[in-house]
Amino acid sequence: CEKLGIWKRHKCRVLGTQPDAVERAEAREPFRRTMLEARQPIIASRGISSVAEAQEFALHTPLPLILRPDFTLGGSGNSVVRDGENFVVQTEDALAASPVGHALIERYLEGWHEMEIEVVRDCAGNALAVCGMENIDPMGVHTGDSITVAPALTLTDREYQRMRSASIAVLREIGVETGGSNVQFAVNPDNGRLVVIEMNPRVSRSSALASKA
């Protein structure tokens, strides 16, 4: 609609998450920049639109790496780069999977714990962490294919409060003015380091699980 100029011609209004907030959350590079501006911890990464940009990033970041296309669902187009043999083909496939021809390349957090917080916000700025969830499987198994426990059982209260505060900060920085979202984290099992992986600026499968919990 925005590309066709419909917003301006018809003065359209959207209920819930606004288009610019969807862009910041679902497009990998804008999300990365927004998290840096919000001073939220993220892993080394770069938005790419060509094989050359991916290769430049790989020169300074040790393997394995993961390619994550923009605006795809269910992990479609994601792949892990473990060696240089298929690097070009994997990058081309990731860019082709994205409807906008963009992807994120980042360090692969294999073996880290994956957690997420379901959060909601209203137009007055009130925010609530509904539920914390954790995947039984480590990073490397897509959330949709992993057994997930809600509420999370292995987090200390301090760790949960860190994630809760970070989730609400992410929600506000992205610009979700009303409605539900979920923010996903990776936790290093060796030292407890926490990084933001991504967020869904909408209800999702996690929302259904949180409501049951």
Side-chain angles (χ1 to χ4, degrees), residues 92-110:
E92 290 174 341
D93 289 345
L95 294 174
S98 167
V100 294
H102 294 281
L104 190 77
I105 184 170
E106 63 183 357
R107 180 186 162 200
Y108 184 45
L109 305 179
E110 189 169 26

Side-chain angles (χ1 to χ4, degrees), residues 113-117 133-134 154-155 163 183-185 187:
H113 297 316
E114 186 171 356
M115 310 278 185
E116 55 188 282
I117 305 289
M133 293 162 275
E134 61 181 316
T154 64
L155 292 175
M163 288 187 189
V183 184
Q184 299 174 16
F185 299 90
V187 182

Side-chain angles (χ1 to χ4, degrees), residues 77-89:
N78 286 13
S79 67
V80 178
V81 180
R82 298 189 180 277
D83 55 59
E85 184 176 350
N86 298 312
F87 184 86
V88 172
V89 173

Side-chain angles (χ1 to χ4, degrees), residues 1 23-24 31 54 61 84 95 103 110 137 143 150 153 156 160 178 203 205:
C1 290
E23 175 73 17
R24 284 191 293 273
F31 180 77
T61 309
L95 294 174
E110 189 169 26
D137 299 296
T143 302
L153 300 179
T156 65
Y160 175 76
T178 182
V203 294
R205 291 172 295 185

Side-chain angles (χ1 to χ4, degrees), residues 39-62:
R39 297 183 179 180
Q40 294 300 320
I42 59 173
I43 205 67
S45 60
R46 177 180 175 175
I48 60 167
S49 56
S50 68
V51 172
E53 290 175 342
Q55 290 173 324
E56 183 180 347
F57 177 82
L59 289 175
H60 308 287
T61 309

Side-chain angles (χ1 to χ4, degrees), residues 117-122 126-131 164 168 171:
I117 305 289
E118 186 78 20
V119 282
V120 294
R121 187 185 182 198
D122 66 16
N126 301 303
L128 172 69
V130 178
C131 182
R164 173 188 173 279
I168 293 173
L171 204 67

